[in-house]
Amino acid sequence: MVGIRNAERHSQSIRDSWERCSHQHGLLPSTRRPVLRLQMSELSPRSQAFRERIGGCVQDLDHLADLAMRAGSCLVVTDRDRVLVDLRSRTGTVADYATYGIAMGSCWDEKIAGTNGISMAMGEGGAFTVRGDDHFHSCFRPFACTSVPCLDAESSVIGALTLVTTDRRNAFDYVFAQHALSLAADRLQARLFHRHHAPHLTVRISDPAGGGTLRPNALVALDDAKRIVGVTAFAAHLMGARAPEALIGQRLEALFDLDLEALPRNPDPVLHLRLPQSPRAAQRPAGGGTRGLGAGLRRLAAQGPDMALLIDRARKLVAHGSPLLICGDSGTGKSQFAEGLLEDLGRQKGVMLAMDCDGLAANPAQAAALRSALDQARRLSAAPDDGCRPVLWLENVAALPAEHQAELAQFLTGLERAGQLEVRPGQTAAQGVVILSTVRGDWQGLATGGLRPDLLHLLGKAVIRLPNLRDRDLSKVITALLDQHRPPDISLSPEAEALLHAHDWPGNLRELASVLAEALVCGNGQRITAADLPARLHRCPTDAPPPEISLRDALDSAGWNVTKAAQIMGISRATINRRIAAEGLARPR
């Protein structure tokens, strides 16, 4: 399946827009031609003003338009009032778009045009896709439109870039559009920032907490005294400031204990700088070998030194551009491992082409989606951005039918010939597609059947085998899983701990997590006892008596409800009370 992130937030924003359209703006979905257009006498000064604001950045729009037309899309440029001031599409299609109101001078304010990508992106302050059925007016429902706001040197909104295409209900189309538009908008703001601060030293920064990536618009301008005279909103965010204005006049060296004079200068007027420790990164809990890891990898690294070594190895391989095949039995945490690596790369808001290959043979729509994913990955690799490497993530890749294995092998061979799969020791990969795949079992099993040999070696230029739970430090794994729950400081009784260690865990990490969650629900939520664990962990035959449970464990599990504790132990309530008195136990406060 295709991965869609923040789906609930997206849906809620669409619902809120429809509510405004119906009750605040008084619009009707059935209106055939809802869009208003300005006269040419009104449009000309607007177009001229926008061109002046973007200055010499027309080449960025030309490149984006070429990419859009090759993808069968139409590029729409609107000013800050949501008026269309530039439109680029294939020859002969301009009139077709115009019949729907998508034309020069058309106004895409929500109060007039209803729910649409331009108004949603400018209202939400970020990339936004309005799919066909998301449009309030039914006349726009054949189309999907993805929009990204454009910012100037001072991070003020000057307009929006939009890709309009026939809605094929394919999430990969939306991902491709968001990537292409975000990259163009970032580069546009970077050019405007450089032009505005031409006399000053410009520093392009990155945040190690986000994988050390460099975005084009993560920029700071410094005067001769190394005081900050300009900073983009994105750079201010990386530096922990709520707004760019809060950083103006401060010395970058003092904020981060840097020596800018000691850094080498390049012919490029931009100084590339990785912040040694940003304020946001400093807020991350860290310790030992997990310093700088995201939350997902920290949890896995806490499961023992062997897992920490695997994580360190995988991070290096992915950072150097090597396709990574993650093997392991069912329940070992392959998906969590891959998600942690992507988080480590700073992929939370990046381009994700994700698909589960299991069941692909029986689903023609999914087969078409895979072809689309590979096509979009080719396009994304043709428009590289060192701050946003596209990701192709294939789960259960051994389930690919033979015909699709051939398509994937052809795609990877093309990347290999273009040098995008070449691993260069000592040099991290700033561009190119990140290739991650997961498979049940081990590499040897794939080598003897399941994947064609060329595909196996293309996907598995590097292989990580996740150990079964019985081969990990179980005490550390239990502690790491319990640390994810609230309240903290959950304890285990000695009897419960012994039962957990005696079990062979055929379901691996997934089974252990389920058992602990069940025990917390069935017990008092603070201390897990043997009575809280499922019966299969007690390993007693059906005709044998149940294992003996201590009085304290029974009381803790029952929340000191004496009647329930008596039922757990199979004795009377009176006997429970006598034993409580004899052992001197008291109800916890």
Side-chain angles (χ1 to χ4, degrees):
M1 293 295 292
V2 175
I4 300 178
R5 294 170 181 261
N6 300 319
E8 179 54 38
R9 179 181 173 184
H10 179 278
S11 299
Q12 185 59 53
S13 296
I14 294 293
R15 289 193 292 269
D16 291 344
S17 175
W18 276 51
E19 181 76 14
R20 292 191 298 270
C21 291
S22 295
H23 297 94
Q24 294 183 27
H25 311 326
L27 303 180
L28 295 175
S30 58
T31 303
R32 294 184 63 187
R33 295 181 181 275
V35 176
L36 300 180
R37 292 177 61 181
L38 301 184
Q39 298 292 330
M40 187 57 65
S41 59
E42 300 173 289
L43 176 60
S44 293
R46 281 183 175 273
S47 298
Q48 181 63 29
F50 186 82
R51 283 194 294 270
E52 290 175 356
R53 294 204 72 172
I54 66 172
C57 303
V58 177
Q59 65 267 36
D60 290 313
L61 298 185
D62 292 340
H63 176 74
L64 178 61
D66 178 66
L67 193 64
M69 287 186 279
R70 283 193 279 120
S73 301
C74 168
L75 172 64
V76 167
V77 183
T78 49
D79 65 12
R80 62 184 174 186
D81 295 322
R82 299 162 174 78
V83 174
L84 199 157
V85 295
D86 195 2
L87 185 147
R88 317 277 189 92
S89 67
R90 287 178 176 173
T91 304
T93 62
V94 173
D96 295 334
Y97 285 110
T99 61
Y100 292 92
I102 305 171
M104 294 291 290
S106 54
C107 181
W108 295 91
D109 191 299
E110 182 187 80
K111 296 176 183 177
I112 299 170
T115 307
N116 67 86
I118 296 166
S119 277
M120 295 302 296
M122 295 182 74
E124 296 282 323
F128 201 98
T129 295
V130 175
R131 297 162 289 199
D133 292 339
D134 291 340
H135 288 95
F136 182 79
H137 289 300
S138 57
C139 61
F140 298 135
R141 291 177 188 168
F143 300 105
C145 54
T146 299
S147 300
V148 172
C150 294
L151 306 180
D152 64 11
E154 297 175 329
S155 297
S156 298
V157 176
I158 58 174
L161 302 177
T162 303
L163 291 182
V164 180
T165 187
T166 300
D167 189 11
R168 299 186 296 176
R169 293 175 173 81
N170 187 334
F172 295 121
D173 290 343
Y174 315 144
V175 169
F176 167 73
Q178 289 199 9
H179 168 77
L181 291 169
S182 297
L183 175 56
D186 285 354
R187 287 177 172 169
L188 177 63
Q189 185 185 22
R191 289 185 188 276
L192 295 175
F193 189 91
H194 292 317
R195 187 178 67 181
H196 185 74
H197 295 286
H200 302 118
L201 171 67
T202 303
V203 180
R204 189 177 178 208
I205 65 172
S206 71
D207 178 12
T213 54
L214 287 159
R215 285 265 297 272
N217 62 334
L219 299 170
V220 179
L222 306 176
D223 62 14
D224 293 339
K226 303 301 184 292
R227 289 188 297 265
I228 297 174
V229 293
V231 57
T232 62
F234 182 69
H237 168 70
L238 291 184
M239 296 165 69
R242 294 185 177 180
E245 295 78 15
L247 297 171
I248 301 300
Q250 298 193 51
R251 290 175 58 85
L252 185 63
E253 294 170 296
L255 284 173
F256 294 98
D257 192 25
L258 298 169
D259 183 5
L260 295 181
E261 297 298 335
L263 294 173
R265 296 294 195 271
N266 299 317
D268 188 338
V270 180
L271 180 63
H272 293 243
L273 174 67
R274 288 189 175 182
L275 299 181
Q277 180 74 5
S278 73
R280 292 191 304 110
Q283 295 172 5
R284 285 188 169 188
T290 66
R291 184 174 300 277
L293 294 182
L297 290 185
R298 277 205 312 275
R299 286 194 292 268
L300 291 171
Q303 296 179 10
D306 290 344
M307 286 299 295
L309 288 173
L310 275 180
I311 289 169
D312 182 62
R313 185 180 185 87
R315 291 176 76 199
K316 291 176 180 176
L317 291 166
V318 171
H320 283 77
S322 175
L324 184 64
L325 179 63
I326 304 170
C327 301
D329 290 344
S330 178
T332 50
K334 298 181 293 294
S335 294
Q336 295 95 316
F337 194 89
E339 288 173 354
L341 290 174
L342 297 180
E343 179 189 11
D344 188 58
L345 281 173
R347 303 308 311 170
Q348 299 93 325
K349 297 182 180 178
V351 180
M352 172 73 72
L353 303 173
M355 171 165 286
D356 190 340
C357 301
D358 202 7
L360 199 67
N363 192 334
Q366 282 294 93
L370 174 63
R371 295 189 183 97
S372 179
L374 298 181
D375 183 49
Q376 301 292 21
R378 287 190 190 95
R379 295 175 184 170
L380 293 170
S381 63
D385 172 21
D386 57 4
C388 194
R389 292 171 63 195
V391 173
L392 180 63
W393 178 11
L394 301 173
E395 293 195 84
N396 300 313
V397 71
L400 269 178
E403 60 180 297
H404 301 306
Q405 289 191 30
E407 293 173 358
L408 181 57
Q410 183 181 22
F411 164 75
L412 293 172
T413 300
L415 293 183
E416 186 178 50
R417 288 172 179 169
Q420 292 197 29
L421 302 186
E422 183 179 353
V423 179
R424 298 176 177 87
Q427 181 181 347
T428 57
Q431 298 176 350
V433 183
V434 178
I435 309 290
L436 290 180
S437 52
T438 63
V439 65
R440 285 188 290 269
D442 54 25
W443 191 89
Q444 287 78 7
L446 292 174
T448 57
L451 281 182
R452 47 189 282 171
D454 58 341
L455 180 58
L456 175 61
H457 292 286
L458 284 166
L459 285 173
K461 284 182 176 290
V463 180
I464 291 291
R465 174 72 159 87
L466 297 185
N468 289 326
L469 185 57
R470 59 180 173 269
D471 297 322
R472 304 185 196 182
D473 188 328
L474 187 61
S475 295
K476 290 185 181 296
V477 176
I478 293 171
T479 300
L481 290 176
L482 291 178
D483 283 346
Q484 300 176 38
H485 293 277
R486 292 290 182 269
D489 302 324
I490 298 170
S491 61
L492 282 171
S493 73
E495 294 82 2
E497 189 170 7
L499 286 173
L500 291 172
H501 279 269
H503 191 58
D504 59 1
W505 301 109
N508 289 297
L509 197 62
R510 184 183 295 120
E511 183 186 7
L512 175 60
S514 299
V515 165
L516 293 177
E518 179 182 341
L520 289 171
V521 169
C522 295
N524 64 8
Q526 296 178 339
R527 184 171 184 266
I528 295 176
T529 71
D532 303 325
L533 297 175
R536 68 180 185 277
L537 266 69
H538 293 264
R539 293 185 174 183
C540 60
T542 54
D543 57 348
E548 184 175 350
I549 298 172
S550 71
L551 175 59
R552 183 187 172 188
D553 281 359
L555 289 168
D556 283 344
S557 178
W560 272 75
N561 182 308
V562 174
T563 301
K564 289 183 178 179
Q567 293 172 347
I568 290 173
M569 298 189 69
I571 58 180
S572 69
R573 192 174 188 276
T575 302
I576 284 277
N577 282 321
R578 285 196 298 271
R579 289 184 57 178
I580 289 173
E583 295 185 24
L585 299 178
R587 179 188 295 270
R589 295 183 178 180

